[in-house]
Amino acid sequence: MRVAIITESFSPDVNGVANSVARVADHLLARGHQPLVISPKPSPRASRAITDKPYPVVRLGSLPMPGYGNVRLAWPTRRIREALAEHRADVVHLASPFVLGAWGAKAAAELGVPVVAIYQTDVPGYARAYKVATGEALAWRWIRHVHGRAAATLAPSSTTAAELVAHGVPNVGRWGRGVDTELFHPTRRDEALRAELAPGGELIVGYVGRLAREKRVDLLAQTAARPGVRVVVVGDGPTRDAVRRAVPQADFLGTRRGTDLARLYASLDVFVHTGPHETFCQTVQEAQASGVPVVAPAIGGPLDLVHHGGDGLLVTPDDGAAFAAAVDALADPAVRRAYGQAARAAVATRTWSALGDELIGHYAAAAAAVRAPGRLPAPVAVPVRVP
């Protein structure tokens, strides 16, 4: 199968969309398929970090998004349609479509190629977080327009799927995300690293992810103020300085990757994710694979991932005191050990290989629907009941 992946973000970017696209493309290649990636060209500085891929990558001219310079927006160009035609795509995968994905959907429609759209970024939620007047309503209108061209829109969580259905998006199904259970593993726990991070034997509480307003990392201030607790922040972003001021006791380790990141995860006592706008939350899965109990807000993606009282705790969103209280509840090493073992078991079968094969099934169903108009067989359109 010849699959063209049109993505708003790709390597060397470090985020959930870029990581997911790379995993999907690698899996397609491993299964004997032929992927093509179309993405915005990164900034001139980041371009130095581009590495060759074993599949073709078309990088389009781009500009920084106003107010958020590390996000690049590709401008419309005939090159999208030309690339799809040259690749002779059987299906187009739109990764978190919004700007480039909208033009990709239009080009695919002109060529008669079926589209599978992956909903990943909560743009309406970001509009609320950034207090953009009328932004949420406009975002939903645009989402309906873009996703209305797709044979299927795949949501990463049950909450997100129900929200899409409630806002009039058609043909909504579910597709989660895999996790590298070999890279992220409890055996990577490093006592020397722990001694470096918490020389006094403190409880190590970690956050991994972008530092942006919608992630609400400032909510860790009360946790960091607890006696015997050391907060570690892994990641970078536009609110780094603001978070440093809000949580001055924390250690800021910057962006980490690969085995270095895996060692950090496994060396934590508790993983905390504070953002209330996660459609999935891949870092929760990475922490679970590392055998670490999780504290996360009871909203969005974490509702599907964290089993409250079993492998982690779900707390009231946007409530710093609730996060601190949950960390207190995990002070007992025996409780943390039991939660960590349950967390590892919960993600043991969520490999990228298994999720990749599931996605290929969605592609095949979309292609079959084009060959038999009017019939949209499962697993493409999975009805989602709105609570």
Side-chain angles (χ1 to χ4, degrees):
M1 190 180 303
R2 307 178 73 88
V3 181
I5 305 173
I6 301 177
T7 177
E8 309 286 336
S9 180
F10 190 55
S11 173
D13 295 348
V14 180
N15 57 55
V17 173
N19 177 64
S20 178
V21 168
R23 292 285 187 173
V24 168
D26 288 344
H27 182 74
L28 286 169
L29 201 65
R31 288 287 191 260
H33 301 287
Q34 295 172 276
L36 162 74
V37 173
I38 302 174
S39 74
K41 186 179 295 183
S43 68
R45 178 181 300 178
S47 293
R48 294 194 293 269
I50 290 177
T51 57
D52 290 337
K53 301 296 181 184
Y55 43 80
V57 179
V58 176
R59 297 185 185 268
L60 305 175
S62 67
L63 294 170
M65 187 173 89
Y68 211 143
N70 63 330
V71 175
R72 307 289 297 188
L73 302 178
W75 54 74
T77 170
R78 290 172 56 88
R79 182 67 184 120
I80 302 170
R81 191 181 190 281
E82 291 169 357
L84 295 181
E86 290 167 5
H87 191 62
R88 292 182 288 113
D90 297 307
V91 65
V92 171
H93 168 139
L94 301 182
S96 197
F98 204 72
V99 179
L100 181 57
W103 290 101
K106 181 176 183 294
E110 292 171 354
L111 293 169
V113 181
V115 168
V116 173
I118 311 299
Y119 186 83
Q120 188 161 337
T121 304
D122 182 14
V123 176
Y126 288 3
R128 290 195 302 273
Y130 285 82
K131 297 180 172 59
V132 179
T134 73
E136 185 176 0
L138 289 173
W140 277 117
R141 187 181 305 167
W142 186 247
I143 287 167
R144 283 192 295 273
H145 169 71
V146 175
H147 288 262
R149 293 180 177 269
T153 286
L154 303 180
S157 65
S158 56
T159 299
T160 303
E163 189 173 22
L164 288 166
V165 171
H167 282 88
V169 176
N171 302 326
V172 175
R174 284 280 305 280
W175 180 66
R177 300 294 181 271
V179 62
D180 190 335
T181 54
E182 294 183 6
L183 175 61
F184 300 106
H185 197 282
T187 58
R188 295 193 184 274
R189 188 176 177 89
D190 187 328
E191 293 303 327
L193 175 60
R194 286 179 51 78
E196 180 183 335
L197 295 174
E202 296 92 343
L203 184 79
I204 304 176
V205 177
Y207 166 87
V208 177
R210 285 188 304 112
L211 303 183
R213 185 188 303 179
E214 70 275 6
K215 299 299 184 181
R216 295 304 317 272
V217 186
D218 59 291
L219 292 172
L220 292 178
Q222 293 186 52
T223 299
R226 288 286 203 270
V229 171
R230 173 73 67 183
V231 169
V232 174
V233 176
V234 181
D236 205 349
T239 62
R240 176 186 55 207
D241 293 341
V243 175
R244 281 183 181 273
R245 291 191 295 269
V247 195
Q249 308 95 328
D251 286 337
F252 290 79
L253 305 184
T255 301
R256 302 295 179 95
R257 297 179 175 86
T259 56
D260 191 21
L261 176 61
R263 283 193 313 123
L264 280 164
Y265 268 120
S267 299
L268 300 176
D269 292 309
V270 179
F271 175 80
V272 175
H273 188 88
T274 47
H277 301 293
E278 300 301 314
T279 59
F280 186 72
C281 204
Q282 180 68 353
T283 56
V284 164
Q285 281 202 142
E286 292 169 351
Q288 290 175 318
S290 303
V292 177
V294 171
V295 176
I299 191 171
L303 290 172
D304 287 343
L305 299 176
V306 180
H307 300 89
H308 182 74
D311 53 26
L313 297 174
L314 294 167
V315 303
T316 305
D318 298 316
D319 187 340
F323 281 100
V327 169
D328 290 344
L330 294 171
D332 186 336
V335 172
R336 292 200 306 275
R337 187 160 47 250
Y339 275 45
Q341 290 171 350
R344 173 70 189 182
V347 299
T349 60
R350 295 183 202 158
T351 64
W352 275 111
S353 180
L355 271 292
D357 286 345
E358 183 181 320
L359 182 59
I360 290 170
H362 287 291
Y363 294 156
V370 170
R371 290 193 295 270
R375 294 172 54 199
L376 202 59
V380 169
V382 180
V384 178
R385 181 174 59 84
V386 180

